[in-house]
Amino acid sequence: MDHNTSAADGPELAEPYLREVLAGAGLAVEYVRAEGNTLYQRADDGSEIAVVDFAGGYGSVLLGHHHPEIVARAQELLAEGTPVHAQFSRHPYANRLAAELNRIIHRELDTTEPYFAIFGNSGAEAVEAAVKHAELDRGMRIRALLDECAEAGRSTRAAVASGAAIVAEPVLTLFGLTAAEGDPAAALSLLEAELDRRNAEQTARPPLFLALEGGFHGKLAASVQLTHNEGYRAPFKSLAAQARFVPHNQPDALKEIHAEERGDLLELGVADGHVVVRERGFPVFCAFLVEPLQGEGGIRVLSEEFAREIQEFCAAIGCPVVIDEIQSGMGRTGTFLASSALGLRGDYYTLAKTLGGGIAKTSVMLVREAYYRKEFEIVHSSTFAKDSFSCHIALKVLELLEADGGLAYRRAAERGAALRTMLGRVQADFPMVIEEVRGRGLMLGVEFRDQSDSPSPAIQGAARGGMFGYVLAGHLLRGHRVRTFPTASALNTLRFEPSIGLTDAEIAQLEAALRDVCTLLRDGKGDVLLAV
Ligand code: PMP
């Protein structure tokens, strides 16, 4: 996802800057085979070097690399000549997949309201689909509101014309208007023109998104504007609608943003024989994007209390909640949706990564029936989305997750607890090195303390240069055959997102590796840590 771009035309052209960074940290290695929790490099003598994979395709291989049943299904599909591309025909497999996703989500959320599925090819694409759908819906709501305002204007005009209502001075003064006495039609026209002007100002405003500080929702044109990291976002600011970023656990900040940004459409009406102006809330907020467990922001769990406050705030202002479960979903945290454990209910959900079983590139955006606009199916599409291969693979993934009464979810919780216990043990022994261990299930993070003041100039340099997490990852790989990476927007936090096949031996290997890194940091042994 985040650091994996590569050019096709030979080594000299392949992302020279990125390659420099990876090489500097000793991370520029090639993997030639993958199985379960292991990636293999090829040594010079042709033998394989096994590396335990805690990066897990940035959360894409919860069931392990090349799960035998997923591979068998893929081979079957190819052997049978199942059409991959049959756009604009019946897609029963996609319907089955949507139905199965609904069945699981309904069970977890204890609801029966259908969620419609729009398929995509990547996580960011699912987010963009949610953003576009929310904007389509918002536009349609605005048009309906304007129609109602126009209808109210017509009946007010009729009431004034028939003498059933008058335009009194106070309503004009309210808008800084004065009209000649004795000409109610002219006074009304003046008022109407002013309301039209003010309403046009409102409707010309671009949609506004709400998102959390630290959030990551992708790097495409619209989704990157919802990603908090300024480095990713700022260069592309002019390309798409903007978000206001909300600090965690500060419900007052929500209220402040609402007070600053809210707007009204003005509508004419009649009350007690007088023309009045009514305020109709204008839906400036297009959607609120939330990760229940922030991945790239440093593995941070949303608090249940703030989740409830967000939910209530959005319900009160009529803003849909988009829950981004691209990294946290699909069972990784012990439930299918990490948000269900927080009591959070989405109007939209986005899923990707593990949905493709580590083989297919696929994603889905789910939208609640109450918000769904069937027009979206025409205005949004992708050649590759909803292909039979990805859908069949995703169905197999769901089958594996649900098998044996949800054994995979229980295993994610149990293996996650075992891994977390170990990480906690290391933290307890190195409190001056490790700031915090965070996360849930098999989505865990270890935040290292800032080392800008390390006695070792090498460690100090790495910390000040912003590459600290990559240096740690490099040492873990070279010295211990353990693969992990920092999170994309919090480079002092290493992520641990292995598959449910994680063994106690792999946990022990990681423990030894982390203890070594912590010892080197504590003792200021930068030369050893950085030796490539
Ligand atoms: N949302 C979240 C929560 C993610 O973690 C990611 C990827 N790390 C994305 C969106 C973007 O997904 P992709 O890289 O597949 O575009």
Side-chain angles (χ1 to χ4, degrees):
M1 43 121 288
D2 297 298
H3 303 112
N4 58 0
T5 20
S6 60
D9 301 326
E12 296 314 315
L13 297 176
E15 293 287 328
Y17 171 66
L18 194 52
R19 220 148 41 93
E20 221 174 85
V21 172
L22 291 179
L27 292 164
V29 297
E30 183 189 355
Y31 295 101
V32 294
R33 199 166 71 80
E35 189 183 350
N37 255 328
T38 311
L39 283 168
Y40 295 91
Q41 297 169 23
R42 175 94 52 222
D44 291 342
D45 66 3
S47 63
E48 284 186 334
I49 302 169
V51 171
V52 188
D53 186 13
F54 283 94
Y58 288 84
S60 302
V61 284
L62 182 65
L63 297 171
H65 291 281
H66 291 138
H67 186 288
E69 284 191 46
I70 297 175
V71 170
R73 186 72 186 113
Q75 285 168 338
E76 215 171 76
L77 291 164
L78 296 177
E80 286 169 359
T82 312
V84 176
H85 292 297
Q87 294 88 345
F88 263 93
S89 59
R90 283 187 61 241
H91 297 112
Y93 38 81
N95 295 341
R96 271 209 308 283
L97 178 55
E100 191 56 9
L101 286 166
N102 267 278
R103 189 186 65 75
I104 297 169
I105 288 175
H106 286 168
R107 181 187 67 214
E108 231 169 59
L109 299 181
D110 196 17
T111 177
T112 52
E113 184 176 359
Y115 281 84
F116 287 80
I118 304 289
F119 292 96
N121 305 284
S122 70
E125 205 183 305
V127 171
E128 302 251 337
V131 162
K132 280 183 66 186
H133 187 285
E135 179 57 1
L136 182 74
D137 172 52
R138 193 184 76 98
M140 292 171 85
R141 280 188 283 140
I142 292 172
R143 271 194 299 285
L145 209 51
L146 286 171
D147 287 349
E148 285 173 33
C149 290
E151 181 53 38
R154 278 192 290 277
S155 41
T156 306
R157 226 175 297 132
V160 171
S162 71
I166 57 155
V167 186
E169 206 181 307
V171 74
L172 293 170
T173 357
L174 206 59
F175 294 94
L177 304 169
T178 40
E181 263 179 54
D183 189 350
L188 184 63
S189 295
L190 207 60
L191 187 57
E192 271 184 308
E194 178 60 16
L195 298 198
D196 284 350
R197 191 186 64 75
R198 293 191 185 208
N199 285 348
E201 258 173 33
Q202 280 299 322
T203 54
R205 291 173 71 190
L208 188 64
F209 290 88
L210 294 167
L212 291 177
E213 286 186 355
F216 186 101
H217 300 288
K219 286 179 173 173
L220 292 181
S223 49
V224 79
Q225 290 311 315
L226 312 173
T227 290
H228 185 222
N229 186 320
E230 206 180 344
Y232 301 147
R233 176 168 48 89
F236 309 105
K237 206 172 156 60
S238 57
L239 289 180
Q242 300 295 292
R244 292 281 308 260
F245 292 96
V246 180
H248 284 252
N249 304 323
Q250 290 185 30
D252 286 346
L254 286 174
K255 292 193 192 105
E256 274 161 35
I257 292 173
H258 182 244
E260 283 164 23
E261 304 286 355
R262 70 178 297 276
D264 288 300
L265 286 182
L266 302 174
E267 182 183 83
L268 287 170
V270 175
D272 299 331
H274 285 78
V275 169
V276 293
V277 173
R278 298 193 175 110
E279 290 179 342
R280 307 282 311 265
F282 178 72
V284 70
F285 296 102
C286 191
F288 195 146
L289 281 100
V290 182
E291 280 169 278
L293 202 178
Q294 291 185 331
E296 305 307 332
I299 316 287
R300 291 179 188 276
V301 186
L302 186 67
S303 79
E304 270 182 48
E305 196 183 340
F306 198 44
R308 198 184 55 250
E309 280 156 354
I310 290 172
Q311 187 99 67
E312 286 168 4
F313 170 78
C314 286
I317 67 166
C319 171
V321 180
V322 178
I323 303 187
D324 184 344
E325 293 262 12
I326 285 167
Q327 193 159 168
S328 57
M330 302 293 302
R332 177 162 293 283
T333 66
T335 41
F336 185 76
L337 300 168
S339 52
S340 69
L342 300 176
L344 190 60
R345 167 90 53 103
D347 300 304
Y348 295 75
Y349 289 98
T350 52
L351 294 166
K353 297 197 190 248
T354 289
L355 182 67
I359 289 182
K361 297 178 179 182
T362 187
S363 65
V364 68
M365 177 276 269
L366 297 160
V367 48
R368 193 154 80 80
E369 187 176 40
Y371 275 95
Y372 180 61
R373 301 282 188 176
K374 60 183 185 319
E375 295 80 356
F376 192 68
E377 291 168 33
I378 303 296
V379 297
H380 183 84
S381 63
S382 158
T383 301
F384 292 126
K386 205 161 110 175
D387 65 289
S388 71
F389 184 82
S390 304
C391 290
H392 282 299
I393 295 295
L395 275 165
K396 175 52 85 178
V397 170
L398 295 185
E399 184 190 316
L400 291 168
L401 289 176
E402 291 280 302
D404 301 317
L407 182 61
Y409 306 123
R410 292 196 296 281
R411 189 138 171 100
E414 184 276 321
R415 290 287 76 195
L419 182 56
R420 197 195 171 108
T421 301
M422 178 279 278
L423 296 174
R425 224 168 27 232
V426 177
Q427 185 203 9
D429 289 347
F430 294 92
M432 297 314 288
V433 176
I434 294 180
E435 172 93 32
E436 203 178 4
V437 175
R438 293 186 292 264
R440 198 167 262 186
L442 286 170
M443 189 165 167
L444 297 171
V446 174
E447 182 178 349
F448 287 78
R449 287 189 193 276
D450 180 32
Q451 296 288 334
S452 310
D453 293 325
S454 165
S456 152
I459 294 174
Q460 206 183 90
R464 294 189 177 179
M467 281 293 134
F468 182 61
Y470 287 97
V471 166
L472 301 186
H475 183 83
L476 290 169
L477 178 62
R478 288 188 313 277
H480 299 275
R481 306 284 177 232
V482 161
R483 176 176 151 88
T484 176
F485 282 108
T487 55
S489 301
L491 294 178
N492 278 4
T493 299
L494 292 181
R495 70 173 80 216
F496 299 94
E497 302 188 33
S499 82
I500 54 172
L502 181 71
T503 64
D504 289 341
E506 287 163 342
I507 295 178
Q509 187 174 340
L510 177 63
E511 177 166 7
L514 287 174
R515 284 183 181 279
D516 173 37
V517 162
C518 289
T519 307
L520 294 175
L521 287 172
R522 184 195 60 198
D523 300 344
K525 297 258 176 63
D527 47 340
V528 184
L529 190 70
L530 272 89
V532 178

